[in-house]
Amino acid sequence: MLLKPLHILVISPESWGISFLSKHHYAMTLCEMGHRVWFLNSPYCPTPDLTAPHERLKVLDDRWFIKGLRHLPRFVQRSLMRRQIHQLKTQIGVDLDLVWSFDNSRYFHLDLFQAKDTIHHVVDDHMDYQLPYAASSADLCIGVTSDIVNRLAKHNTHSLLIPHGIKGPILRHAGKIPLASYKLHAAYVGNLLMRTFDAALMLELVQAHKDIGFWLIGNYTPNHLSLSLPAQREDILQQLRLQPNVYFHGECPPDEAFALAAEASILLSMYFDNGRCPDNSSKVMPYLASGKIIVSNHFAAYDGSDLLLMCKTRDTYLSLFAAAMEAIERYNSPELQASRKAFAAKHSYDQLIKQIFERL
């Protein structure tokens, strides 16, 4: 698979934009490895005019999506989807070597592409719409957690556990660090409108530690990751803006976002708003690459690991943060920072892609 450049279609549930998730990183890394990639946006969020992200990458808006296809009989699904795929492939204009789908809500009969290889890759716990069809029709299935892989394996024994990755080493941030007068800084990188992000808990944390500077790095207005701003979230974000120890950096490219966060002493994850903690997150690996201690909700993918400080309930998060703050020199010792960086370095996206191609 790596001996020659491939024509690859990446189907993503999140459109192209400034902020990246794993789907965007995989697409860019494939281009950098010499392959030609077509990235199919979500049908609900066309991409505005952006500078071409890479000379070998073409972003496509999904003009062929048929809503409600899943409710139709299977033979009707396949007939209509075959027509959709023909129109899509006509737009692409070349024979596809690989179809790599992160989205089982559409184009879920992957065999209809008639590509040389097909991958169904589930990186989100909630991506469970037409999973049986997508998994059984793929040549290879991939999940980022054991639970996801077990679900995929029920429909395709050729299922593989591949964790989230990292684009590359964290670069040093060259810009001015905000809130420099505080004794410690804590940073959160991510979509501030994300449903699972516990914004109310962030406000509690900020108000409980007025002697610490907090950087919120990510979009706080609708974008390709969140199409709307709920009134309740807007109210909490407005309260956070009024806190003197909070700095809203806004949305920026991932290299810049994590380089800035790496200047902080403590990195934050607080996903408690969906009823249960997620099993993994794409932000953890670049957080680890910074070397800094991470105070986080529980991630099942890191059970038994001492790489993060985790708690299963939001009620214990504030005390966990306080413990990290009190022992910050120990948690950010050169030895522990080196251990986190070494772990992340083993999971670069180009290394993960090589592992995946070896299994096709």
Side-chain angles (χ1 to χ4, degrees):
M1 292 292 290
L2 289 174
L3 297 180
K4 67 179 184 69
L6 304 178
H7 295 144
I8 302 171
L9 172 66
V10 172
I11 304 173
S12 172
E14 288 91 15
S15 296
W16 199 269
I18 296 173
S19 297
F20 276 22
L21 299 174
S22 53
K23 305 93 172 173
H24 309 88
H25 283 300
Y26 271 105
M28 283 295 291
T29 305
L30 287 165
C31 290
E32 292 165 1
M33 296 172 74
H35 306 295
R36 191 176 176 194
V37 176
W38 287 261
F39 185 95
L40 187 63
N41 277 339
S42 161
Y44 303 108
C45 184
T47 292
D49 292 335
L50 294 172
T51 303
H54 195 283
E55 61 181 5
R56 286 189 287 272
L57 189 143
K58 173 70 173 176
V59 178
L60 300 175
D61 288 331
D62 191 350
R63 298 183 285 108
W64 308 275
F65 175 67
I66 301 175
K67 191 173 182 179
L69 198 62
R70 69 186 187 277
H71 299 301
L72 301 176
R74 185 173 182 273
F75 77 94
V76 178
Q77 290 176 4
R78 290 182 64 86
S79 176
L80 293 174
M81 198 174 294
R82 188 177 285 108
R83 188 180 306 170
Q84 287 178 282
I85 289 171
H86 173 74
Q87 293 170 331
L88 173 57
K89 290 169 69 176
T90 299
Q91 175 76 14
I92 291 172
V94 299
D95 291 333
L96 293 170
D97 297 296
L98 173 62
V99 174
W100 195 324
S101 176
F102 294 86
D103 187 353
N104 55 46
S105 70
R106 58 189 172 131
Y107 301 102
F108 42 81
H109 295 296
L110 293 172
D111 57 304
L112 295 178
F113 280 97
Q114 298 182 321
K116 293 178 182 177
D117 289 291
T118 55
I119 295 173
H120 184 43
H121 196 155
V122 180
V123 297
D124 302 301
D125 293 331
H126 67 268
M127 184 51 65
D128 196 6
Y129 301 102
Q130 300 300 311
L131 185 145
Y133 284 148
S136 61
S137 62
D139 295 306
L140 175 65
C141 293
I142 301 169
V144 296
T145 66
S146 297
D147 178 68
I148 291 174
V149 172
N150 290 338
R151 278 189 274 150
L152 291 166
K154 292 178 181 178
H155 310 284
N156 189 331
T157 57
H158 199 195
S159 296
L160 182 65
L161 174 63
I162 295 287
H164 281 298
I166 181 172
K167 186 63 179 66
I170 297 296
L171 303 176
R172 183 171 179 80
H173 184 67
K176 181 181 178 181
I177 303 302
L179 303 174
S181 61
Y182 289 84
K183 66 175 185 177
L184 288 178
H185 297 89
Y188 173 84
V189 177
N191 172 14
L192 299 178
L193 306 188
M194 185 177 181
R195 181 176 58 86
T196 53
F197 168 61
D198 197 331
L201 180 59
M202 177 66 79
L203 181 60
E204 290 180 39
L205 182 66
V206 165
Q207 292 175 331
H209 296 280
K210 296 184 180 296
D211 57 342
I212 293 181
F214 290 86
W215 309 335
L216 305 185
I217 307 166
N219 63 292
Y220 47 83
T221 57
N223 69 350
H224 62 297
L225 303 181
S226 291
L227 304 184
S228 62
L229 172 54
Q232 183 180 18
R233 181 62 54 88
E234 185 175 20
D235 290 343
I236 296 175
L237 294 180
Q238 181 59 31
Q239 292 181 64
L240 280 166
R241 286 191 191 94
L242 296 174
Q243 307 304 311
N245 57 332
V246 174
Y247 176 82
F248 277 74
H249 186 277
E251 187 177 20
C252 58
D255 287 351
E256 180 182 341
F258 288 105
L260 176 59
E263 300 291 336
S265 299
I266 303 174
L267 302 180
L268 306 172
S269 175
M270 45 186 68
Y271 292 154
F272 294 104
D273 264 9
N274 64 342
R276 61 179 290 270
C277 294
D279 288 342
N280 206 344
S281 170
S282 60
K283 73 160 46 57
V284 174
M285 208 63 75
Y287 269 7
L288 289 171
S290 75
K292 302 300 177 60
I293 186 61
I294 306 164
V295 178
S296 175
N297 53 274
H298 177 256
F299 288 118
Y302 290 91
D303 274 341
S305 166
D306 59 358
L307 295 169
L308 295 76
L309 290 180
M310 301 189 296
C311 59
K312 291 187 176 182
T313 64
R314 74 187 307 274
D315 295 338
T316 55
Y317 191 89
L318 294 185
S319 60
L320 185 66
F321 180 88
M325 182 183 66
E326 291 301 320
I328 193 63
E329 291 185 5
R330 175 166 64 86
Y331 283 121
N332 281 344
S333 68
E335 295 77 16
L336 288 179
Q337 290 201 49
S339 176
R340 297 179 193 119
K341 291 178 180 179
F343 181 87
K346 297 176 183 178
H347 298 88
S348 65
Y349 279 107
D350 57 345
Q351 291 173 325
L352 298 184
I353 288 171
K354 290 174 183 177
Q355 291 180 40
I356 292 167
F357 280 4
E358 287 172 0
R359 295 294 298 268
L360 282 173

